[in-house]
PDB file of all heavy atoms in Angstrom:
ATOM      1  N   VAL A   5       0.832  -1.192  -0.034  1.00 91.00           N
ATOM      2  CA  VAL A   5      -0.004  -0.019  -0.081  1.00 91.00           C
ATOM      3  C   VAL A   5       0.929   1.275   0.045  1.00 91.00           C
ATOM      4  O   VAL A   5       1.879   1.252   0.770  1.00 91.00           O
ATOM      5  CB  VAL A   5      -0.892   0.043   1.362  1.00 91.00           C
ATOM      6  CG1 VAL A   5      -1.757   1.216   1.297  1.00 91.00           C
ATOM      7  CG2 VAL A   5      -1.694  -1.304   1.341  1.00 91.00           C
ATOM      8  N   GLN A   6       0.568   2.178  -0.891  1.00 94.00           N
ATOM      9  CA  GLN A   6       1.388   3.476  -0.767  1.00 94.00           C
ATOM     10  C   GLN A   6       0.789   4.356   0.209  1.00 94.00           C
ATOM     11  O   GLN A   6      -0.425   4.467   0.409  1.00 94.00           O
ATOM     12  CB  GLN A   6       1.244   4.093  -2.199  1.00 94.00           C
ATOM     13  CG  GLN A   6       2.204   5.379  -2.237  1.00 94.00           C
ATOM     14  CD  GLN A   6       2.342   5.991  -3.663  1.00 94.00           C
ATOM     15  OE1 GLN A   6       1.782   5.396  -4.581  1.00 94.00           O
ATOM     16  NE2 GLN A   6       2.776   7.134  -3.768  1.00 94.00           N
ATOM     17  N   MET A   7       1.591   4.990   1.063  1.00 93.00           N
ATOM     18  CA  MET A   7       1.210   5.856   2.131  1.00 93.00           C
ATOM     19  C   MET A   7       1.749   7.284   1.699  1.00 93.00           C
ATOM     20  O   MET A   7       2.808   7.291   1.024  1.00 93.00           O
ATOM     21  CB  MET A   7       1.564   5.428   3.447  1.00 93.00           C
ATOM     22  CG  MET A   7       3.083   5.180   3.693  1.00 93.00           C
ATOM     23  SD  MET A   7       3.501   4.547   5.261  1.00 93.00           S
ATOM     24  CE  MET A   7       5.100   3.999   4.981  1.00 93.00           C
ATOM     25  N   ASP A   8       1.163   8.334   2.229  1.00 93.00           N
ATOM     26  CA  ASP A   8       1.776   9.635   1.930  1.00 93.00           C
ATOM     27  C   ASP A   8       2.596  10.210   3.065  1.00 93.00           C
ATOM     28  O   ASP A   8       3.300  11.177   2.864  1.00 93.00           O
ATOM     29  CB  ASP A   8       0.580  10.561   1.538  1.00 93.00           C
ATOM     30  CG  ASP A   8      -0.371  10.852   2.667  1.00 93.00           C
ATOM     31  OD1 ASP A   8      -0.306  10.339   3.813  1.00 93.00           O
ATOM     32  OD2 ASP A   8      -1.411  11.547   2.383  1.00 93.00           O
ATOM     33  N   ASP A   9       2.479   9.663   4.209  1.00 92.00           N
ATOM     34  CA  ASP A   9       3.302  10.199   5.354  1.00 92.00           C
ATOM     35  C   ASP A   9       3.611   9.013   6.302  1.00 92.00           C
ATOM     36  O   ASP A   9       2.742   8.497   7.118  1.00 92.00           O
ATOM     37  CB  ASP A   9       2.330  11.212   6.128  1.00 92.00           C
ATOM     38  CG  ASP A   9       3.069  11.894   7.318  1.00 92.00           C
ATOM     39  OD1 ASP A   9       3.980  11.417   7.853  1.00 92.00           O
ATOM     40  OD2 ASP A   9       2.597  13.100   7.589  1.00 92.00           O
ATOM     41  N   ALA A  10       4.823   8.606   6.273  1.00 93.00           N
ATOM     42  CA  ALA A  10       5.262   7.428   6.954  1.00 93.00           C
ATOM     43  C   ALA A  10       5.189   7.700   8.516  1.00 93.00           C
ATOM     44  O   ALA A  10       4.778   6.767   9.287  1.00 93.00           O
ATOM     45  CB  ALA A  10       6.727   7.042   6.655  1.00 93.00           C
ATOM     46  N   LYS A  11       5.546   8.863   8.955  1.00 93.00           N
ATOM     47  CA  LYS A  11       5.597   9.147  10.375  1.00 93.00           C
ATOM     48  C   LYS A  11       4.137   9.124  10.958  1.00 93.00           C
ATOM     49  O   LYS A  11       3.826   8.482  12.021  1.00 93.00           O
ATOM     50  CB  LYS A  11       6.146  10.570  10.588  1.00 93.00           C
ATOM     51  CG  LYS A  11       6.284  10.857  12.141  1.00 93.00           C
ATOM     52  CD  LYS A  11       6.890  12.227  12.334  1.00 93.00           C
ATOM     53  CE  LYS A  11       6.912  12.527  13.831  1.00 93.00           C
ATOM     54  NZ  LYS A  11       7.344  13.892  14.149  1.00 93.00           N
ATOM     55  N   ALA A  12       3.071   9.792  10.209  1.00 94.00           N
ATOM     56  CA  ALA A  12       1.753   9.711  10.756  1.00 94.00           C
ATOM     57  C   ALA A  12       1.217   8.443  10.575  1.00 94.00           C
ATOM     58  O   ALA A  12       0.512   7.934  11.548  1.00 94.00           O
ATOM     59  CB  ALA A  12       0.941  10.675   9.880  1.00 94.00           C
ATOM     60  N   THR A  13       1.517   7.560   9.615  1.00 95.00           N
ATOM     61  CA  THR A  13       1.112   6.242   9.585  1.00 95.00           C
ATOM     62  C   THR A  13       1.527   5.383  10.647  1.00 95.00           C
ATOM     63  O   THR A  13       0.832   4.621  11.249  1.00 95.00           O
ATOM     64  CB  THR A  13       1.462   5.621   8.171  1.00 95.00           C
ATOM     65  OG1 THR A  13       0.923   6.424   7.153  1.00 95.00           O
ATOM     66  CG2 THR A  13       1.049   4.176   7.995  1.00 95.00           C
ATOM     67  N   ARG A  14       2.917   5.427  10.974  1.00 95.00           N
ATOM     68  CA  ARG A  14       3.366   4.747  12.027  1.00 95.00           C
ATOM     69  C   ARG A  14       2.798   5.069  13.361  1.00 95.00           C
ATOM     70  O   ARG A  14       2.440   4.241  14.165  1.00 95.00           O
ATOM     71  CB  ARG A  14       4.941   5.014  12.124  1.00 95.00           C
ATOM     72  CG  ARG A  14       5.535   4.035  13.225  1.00 95.00           C
ATOM     73  CD  ARG A  14       6.984   4.389  13.437  1.00 95.00           C
ATOM     74  NE  ARG A  14       7.585   3.267  14.126  1.00 95.00           N
ATOM     75  CZ  ARG A  14       7.519   3.038  15.420  1.00 95.00           C
ATOM     76  NH1 ARG A  14       6.545   3.695  16.135  1.00 95.00           N
ATOM     77  NH2 ARG A  14       8.089   2.116  16.020  1.00 95.00           N
ATOM     78  N   GLU A  15       2.547   6.410  13.594  1.00 96.00           N
ATOM     79  CA  GLU A  15       1.876   6.890  14.841  1.00 96.00           C
ATOM     80  C   GLU A  15       0.549   6.264  15.017  1.00 96.00           C
ATOM     81  O   GLU A  15       0.084   5.894  16.024  1.00 96.00           O
ATOM     82  CB  GLU A  15       1.889   8.438  14.910  1.00 96.00           C
ATOM     83  CG  GLU A  15       3.161   9.003  15.128  1.00 96.00           C
ATOM     84  CD  GLU A  15       3.296  10.528  14.994  1.00 96.00           C
ATOM     85  OE1 GLU A  15       2.259  11.096  14.574  1.00 96.00           O
ATOM     86  OE2 GLU A  15       4.361  11.126  15.155  1.00 96.00           O
ATOM     87  N   PHE A  16      -0.287   6.258  13.882  1.00 96.00           N
ATOM     88  CA  PHE A  16      -1.659   5.751  13.777  1.00 96.00           C
ATOM     89  C   PHE A  16      -1.582   4.256  14.203  1.00 96.00           C
ATOM     90  O   PHE A  16      -2.305   3.742  14.981  1.00 96.00           O
ATOM     91  CB  PHE A  16      -2.250   5.766  12.406  1.00 96.00           C
ATOM     92  CG  PHE A  16      -3.569   5.209  12.331  1.00 96.00           C
ATOM     93  CD1 PHE A  16      -4.681   5.740  12.768  1.00 96.00           C
ATOM     94  CD2 PHE A  16      -3.701   3.943  11.662  1.00 96.00           C
ATOM     95  CE1 PHE A  16      -5.911   5.164  12.663  1.00 96.00           C
ATOM     96  CE2 PHE A  16      -4.837   3.228  11.524  1.00 96.00           C
ATOM     97  CZ  PHE A  16      -5.983   3.769  12.057  1.00 96.00           C
ATOM     98  N   PHE A  17      -0.573   3.436  13.659  1.00 96.00           N
ATOM     99  CA  PHE A  17      -0.432   2.065  14.006  1.00 96.00           C
ATOM    100  C   PHE A  17      -0.110   1.881  15.371  1.00 96.00           C
ATOM    101  O   PHE A  17      -0.702   1.040  16.113  1.00 96.00           O
ATOM    102  CB  PHE A  17       0.727   1.384  13.056  1.00 96.00           C
ATOM    103  CG  PHE A  17       0.445   1.176  11.573  1.00 96.00           C
ATOM    104  CD1 PHE A  17       1.539   1.257  10.793  1.00 96.00           C
ATOM    105  CD2 PHE A  17      -0.914   1.228  11.195  1.00 96.00           C
ATOM    106  CE1 PHE A  17       1.139   1.030   9.407  1.00 96.00           C
ATOM    107  CE2 PHE A  17      -1.191   1.043   9.787  1.00 96.00           C
ATOM    108  CZ  PHE A  17      -0.163   0.966   8.912  1.00 96.00           C
ATOM    109  N   VAL A  18       0.822   2.550  15.995  1.00 97.00           N
ATOM    110  CA  VAL A  18       1.219   2.500  17.329  1.00 97.00           C
ATOM    111  C   VAL A  18      -0.116   2.825  18.277  1.00 97.00           C
ATOM    112  O   VAL A  18      -0.406   2.115  19.219  1.00 97.00           O
ATOM    113  CB  VAL A  18       2.389   3.417  17.739  1.00 97.00           C
ATOM    114  CG1 VAL A  18       2.557   3.424  19.275  1.00 97.00           C
ATOM    115  CG2 VAL A  18       3.568   2.917  17.092  1.00 97.00           C
ATOM    116  N   LYS A  19      -0.699   3.883  18.083  1.00 97.00           N
ATOM    117  CA  LYS A  19      -1.934   4.297  18.711  1.00 97.00           C
ATOM    118  C   LYS A  19      -2.962   3.210  18.735  1.00 97.00           C
ATOM    119  O   LYS A  19      -3.782   3.035  19.763  1.00 97.00           O
ATOM    120  CB  LYS A  19      -2.484   5.658  18.092  1.00 97.00           C
ATOM    121  CG  LYS A  19      -3.751   6.060  18.723  1.00 97.00           C
ATOM    122  CD  LYS A  19      -4.270   7.404  18.018  1.00 97.00           C
ATOM    123  CE  LYS A  19      -5.575   7.599  18.526  1.00 97.00           C
ATOM    124  NZ  LYS A  19      -6.271   8.730  17.768  1.00 97.00           N
ATOM    125  N   ASN A  20      -3.100   2.510  17.593  1.00 97.00           N
ATOM    126  CA  ASN A  20      -4.232   1.421  17.546  1.00 97.00           C
ATOM    127  C   ASN A  20      -3.638   0.033  17.795  1.00 97.00           C
ATOM    128  O   ASN A  20      -4.275  -0.963  17.307  1.00 97.00           O
ATOM    129  CB  ASN A  20      -4.841   1.615  16.131  1.00 97.00           C
ATOM    130  CG  ASN A  20      -5.658   2.813  16.023  1.00 97.00           C
ATOM    131  OD1 ASN A  20      -6.858   2.741  16.515  1.00 97.00           O
ATOM    132  ND2 ASN A  20      -5.111   3.898  15.464  1.00 97.00           N
ATOM    133  N   ASN A  21      -2.416  -0.161  18.328  1.00 97.00           N
ATOM    134  CA  ASN A  21      -1.861  -1.348  18.770  1.00 97.00           C
ATOM    135  C   ASN A  21      -1.685  -2.324  17.565  1.00 97.00           C
ATOM    136  O   ASN A  21      -1.833  -3.548  17.659  1.00 97.00           O
ATOM    137  CB  ASN A  21      -2.693  -2.113  19.766  1.00 97.00           C
ATOM    138  CG  ASN A  21      -2.664  -1.233  21.083  1.00 97.00           C
ATOM    139  OD1 ASN A  21      -1.688  -0.741  21.543  1.00 97.00           O
ATOM    140  ND2 ASN A  21      -3.834  -0.967  21.617  1.00 97.00           N
ATOM    141  N   VAL A  22      -1.444  -1.790  16.390  1.00 97.00           N
ATOM    142  CA  VAL A  22      -1.147  -2.573  15.185  1.00 97.00           C
ATOM    143  C   VAL A  22       0.261  -3.290  15.391  1.00 97.00           C
ATOM    144  O   VAL A  22       1.185  -2.615  15.771  1.00 97.00           O
ATOM    145  CB  VAL A  22      -1.234  -1.729  13.883  1.00 97.00           C
ATOM    146  CG1 VAL A  22      -0.714  -2.557  12.728  1.00 97.00           C
ATOM    147  CG2 VAL A  22      -2.591  -1.269  13.737  1.00 97.00           C
ATOM    148  N   ASP A  23       0.356  -4.482  14.968  1.00 97.00           N
ATOM    149  CA  ASP A  23       1.615  -5.263  15.158  1.00 97.00           C
ATOM    150  C   ASP A  23       2.597  -4.825  14.022  1.00 97.00           C
ATOM    151  O   ASP A  23       2.328  -5.222  12.820  1.00 97.00           O
ATOM    152  CB  ASP A  23       1.328  -6.777  14.974  1.00 97.00           C
ATOM    153  CG  ASP A  23       2.526  -7.670  15.269  1.00 97.00           C
ATOM    154  OD1 ASP A  23       3.578  -7.153  15.602  1.00 97.00           O
ATOM    155  OD2 ASP A  23       2.323  -8.858  15.080  1.00 97.00           O
ATOM    156  N   ILE A  24       3.537  -3.997  14.254  1.00 97.00           N
ATOM    157  CA  ILE A  24       4.558  -3.606  13.237  1.00 97.00           C
ATOM    158  C   ILE A  24       5.649  -4.672  13.239  1.00 97.00           C
ATOM    159  O   ILE A  24       6.320  -4.906  14.353  1.00 97.00           O
ATOM    160  CB  ILE A  24       5.117  -2.274  13.733  1.00 97.00           C
ATOM    161  CG1 ILE A  24       4.036  -1.150  13.720  1.00 97.00           C
ATOM    162  CG2 ILE A  24       6.261  -1.860  12.700  1.00 97.00           C
ATOM    163  CD1 ILE A  24       4.488   0.136  14.150  1.00 97.00           C
ATOM    164  N   ALA A  25       5.841  -5.264  12.208  1.00 95.00           N
ATOM    165  CA  ALA A  25       6.692  -6.488  11.983  1.00 95.00           C
ATOM    166  C   ALA A  25       8.184  -6.007  11.561  1.00 95.00           C
ATOM    167  O   ALA A  25       9.086  -6.639  11.982  1.00 95.00           O
ATOM    168  CB  ALA A  25       6.273  -7.340  10.899  1.00 95.00           C
ATOM    169  N   HIS A  26       8.230  -4.901  10.824  1.00 94.00           N
ATOM    170  CA  HIS A  26       9.542  -4.513  10.231  1.00 94.00           C
ATOM    171  C   HIS A  26       9.409  -3.183   9.696  1.00 94.00           C
ATOM    172  O   HIS A  26       8.477  -2.745   9.149  1.00 94.00           O
ATOM    173  CB  HIS A  26       9.827  -5.442   9.098  1.00 94.00           C
ATOM    174  CG  HIS A  26      11.278  -5.377   8.520  1.00 94.00           C
ATOM    175  ND1 HIS A  26      12.510  -5.593   9.219  1.00 94.00           N
ATOM    176  CD2 HIS A  26      11.675  -4.897   7.339  1.00 94.00           C
ATOM    177  CE1 HIS A  26      13.497  -5.385   8.476  1.00 94.00           C
ATOM    178  NE2 HIS A  26      13.017  -4.984   7.235  1.00 94.00           N
ATOM    179  N   GLU A  27      10.585  -2.447   9.887  1.00 95.00           N
ATOM    180  CA  GLU A  27      10.600  -0.992   9.258  1.00 95.00           C
ATOM    181  C   GLU A  27      11.992  -0.962   8.756  1.00 95.00           C
ATOM    182  O   GLU A  27      13.058  -1.303   9.374  1.00 95.00           O
ATOM    183  CB  GLU A  27      10.483   0.038  10.414  1.00 95.00           C
ATOM    184  CG  GLU A  27       9.037   0.039  11.122  1.00 95.00           C
ATOM    185  CD  GLU A  27       8.959   1.031  12.155  1.00 95.00           C
ATOM    186  OE1 GLU A  27       8.849   2.335  11.793  1.00 95.00           O
ATOM    187  OE2 GLU A  27       9.106   0.715  13.349  1.00 95.00           O
ATOM    188  N   VAL A  28      11.991  -0.257   7.538  1.00 94.00           N
ATOM    189  CA  VAL A  28      13.249  -0.062   6.885  1.00 94.00           C
ATOM    190  C   VAL A  28      13.293   1.145   5.845  1.00 94.00           C
ATOM    191  O   VAL A  28      12.090   1.432   5.515  1.00 94.00           O
ATOM    192  CB  VAL A  28      13.778  -1.428   6.075  1.00 94.00           C
ATOM    193  CG1 VAL A  28      12.791  -1.738   5.045  1.00 94.00           C
ATOM    194  CG2 VAL A  28      15.222  -1.277   5.759  1.00 94.00           C
ATOM    195  N   THR A  29      14.234   1.701   5.586  1.00 93.00           N
ATOM    196  CA  THR A  29      14.380   2.730   4.419  1.00 93.00           C
ATOM    197  C   THR A  29      15.184   1.996   3.288  1.00 93.00           C
ATOM    198  O   THR A  29      16.262   1.531   3.512  1.00 93.00           O
ATOM    199  CB  THR A  29      15.011   3.957   4.859  1.00 93.00           C
ATOM    200  OG1 THR A  29      14.265   4.511   6.051  1.00 93.00           O
ATOM    201  CG2 THR A  29      15.084   4.976   3.726  1.00 93.00           C
ATOM    202  N   MET A  30      14.543   1.950   2.199  1.00 89.00           N
ATOM    203  CA  MET A  30      15.107   1.384   0.985  1.00 89.00           C
ATOM    204  C   MET A  30      14.998   2.374  -0.168  1.00 89.00           C
ATOM    205  O   MET A  30      13.930   2.804  -0.590  1.00 89.00           O
ATOM    206  CB  MET A  30      14.570   0.028   0.674  1.00 89.00           C
ATOM    207  CG  MET A  30      14.633  -1.121   1.676  1.00 89.00           C
ATOM    208  SD  MET A  30      14.176  -2.665   1.082  1.00 89.00           S
ATOM    209  CE  MET A  30      12.468  -2.454   0.519  1.00 89.00           C
ATOM    210  N   GLU A  31      16.151   2.597  -0.800  1.00 90.00           N
ATOM    211  CA  GLU A  31      16.326   3.511  -1.915  1.00 90.00           C
ATOM    212  C   GLU A  31      15.456   4.775  -1.580  1.00 90.00           C
ATOM    213  O   GLU A  31      14.814   5.351  -2.488  1.00 90.00           O
ATOM    214  CB  GLU A  31      15.723   2.834  -3.109  1.00 90.00           C
ATOM    215  CG  GLU A  31      16.691   1.638  -3.492  1.00 90.00           C
ATOM    216  CD  GLU A  31      16.178   0.854  -4.768  1.00 90.00           C
ATOM    217  OE1 GLU A  31      15.279   1.489  -5.502  1.00 90.00           O
ATOM    218  OE2 GLU A  31      16.578  -0.168  -5.090  1.00 90.00           O
ATOM    219  N   GLY A  32      15.626   5.358  -0.475  1.00 90.00           N
ATOM    220  CA  GLY A  32      14.928   6.532  -0.043  1.00 90.00           C
ATOM    221  C   GLY A  32      13.550   6.433   0.349  1.00 90.00           C
ATOM    222  O   GLY A  32      12.907   7.444   0.636  1.00 90.00           O
ATOM    223  N   GLU A  33      12.953   5.220   0.274  1.00 92.00           N
ATOM    224  CA  GLU A  33      11.501   5.119   0.650  1.00 92.00           C
ATOM    225  C   GLU A  33      11.361   4.502   2.029  1.00 92.00           C
ATOM    226  O   GLU A  33      12.115   3.564   2.430  1.00 92.00           O
ATOM    227  CB  GLU A  33      10.719   4.206  -0.390  1.00 92.00           C
ATOM    228  CG  GLU A  33      10.801   4.709  -1.734  1.00 92.00           C
ATOM    229  CD  GLU A  33      10.174   3.726  -2.757  1.00 92.00           C
ATOM    230  OE1 GLU A  33      10.120   2.579  -2.522  1.00 92.00           O
ATOM    231  OE2 GLU A  33       9.842   4.278  -3.808  1.00 92.00           O
ATOM    232  N   SER A  34      10.480   5.036   2.785  1.00 94.00           N
ATOM    233  CA  SER A  34      10.141   4.356   4.197  1.00 94.00           C
ATOM    234  C   SER A  34       9.258   3.281   3.909  1.00 94.00           C
ATOM    235  O   SER A  34       8.175   3.418   3.228  1.00 94.00           O
ATOM    236  CB  SER A  34       9.516   5.502   4.976  1.00 94.00           C
ATOM    237  OG  SER A  34      10.289   6.501   5.354  1.00 94.00           O
ATOM    238  N   VAL A  35       9.587   2.137   4.453  1.00 94.00           N
ATOM    239  CA  VAL A  35       8.816   0.890   4.348  1.00 94.00           C
ATOM    240  C   VAL A  35       8.438   0.405   5.759  1.00 94.00           C
ATOM    241  O   VAL A  35       9.262   0.297   6.651  1.00 94.00           O
ATOM    242  CB  VAL A  35       9.497  -0.228   3.586  1.00 94.00           C
ATOM    243  CG1 VAL A  35       8.803  -1.433   3.509  1.00 94.00           C
ATOM    244  CG2 VAL A  35       9.944   0.302   2.188  1.00 94.00           C
ATOM    245  N   ILE A  36       7.115   0.198   5.999  1.00 95.00           N
ATOM    246  CA  ILE A  36       6.620  -0.390   7.237  1.00 95.00           C
ATOM    247  C   ILE A  36       5.932  -1.686   6.898  1.00 95.00           C
ATOM    248  O   ILE A  36       4.889  -1.630   6.129  1.00 95.00           O
ATOM    249  CB  ILE A  36       5.751   0.568   8.000  1.00 95.00           C
ATOM    250  CG1 ILE A  36       6.453   1.823   8.270  1.00 95.00           C
ATOM    251  CG2 ILE A  36       5.222  -0.053   9.281  1.00 95.00           C
ATOM    252  CD1 ILE A  36       5.552   2.986   8.736  1.00 95.00           C
ATOM    253  N   PHE A  37       6.192  -2.778   7.449  1.00 95.00           N
ATOM    254  CA  PHE A  37       5.427  -4.026   7.429  1.00 95.00           C
ATOM    255  C   PHE A  37       4.640  -4.192   8.540  1.00 95.00           C
ATOM    256  O   PHE A  37       5.198  -4.091   9.794  1.00 95.00           O
ATOM    257  CB  PHE A  37       6.317  -5.256   7.170  1.00 95.00           C
ATOM    258  CG  PHE A  37       6.783  -5.463   5.772  1.00 95.00           C
ATOM    259  CD1 PHE A  37       7.982  -4.938   5.327  1.00 95.00           C
ATOM    260  CD2 PHE A  37       6.041  -6.395   4.970  1.00 95.00           C
ATOM    261  CE1 PHE A  37       8.440  -5.219   4.083  1.00 95.00           C
ATOM    262  CE2 PHE A  37       6.380  -6.557   3.618  1.00 95.00           C
ATOM    263  CZ  PHE A  37       7.652  -6.144   3.132  1.00 95.00           C
TER     264      PHE A  37
END
């Protein structure tokens, strides 16, 4: 899924207790699994 704001998306996941499996920056793109 393409997101427009990695920081806001991550904050939403944390706030909603979403299980974050992996985070990485690849070729300048923020990736959150």
Side-chain angles (χ1 to χ4, degrees):
V5 178
Q6 184 175 351
M7 58 184 165
D8 61 1
D9 186 331
K11 182 179 178 188
T13 301
R14 187 186 194 291
E15 288 171 0
F16 175 80
F17 291 155
V18 170
K19 177 182 170 191
N20 287 281
N21 299 312
V22 173
D23 183 8
I24 298 174
H26 184 68
E27 296 178 78
V28 66
T29 300
M30 293 190 308
E31 298 182 12
E33 298 177 341
S34 293
V35 178
I36 303 170
F37 278 90

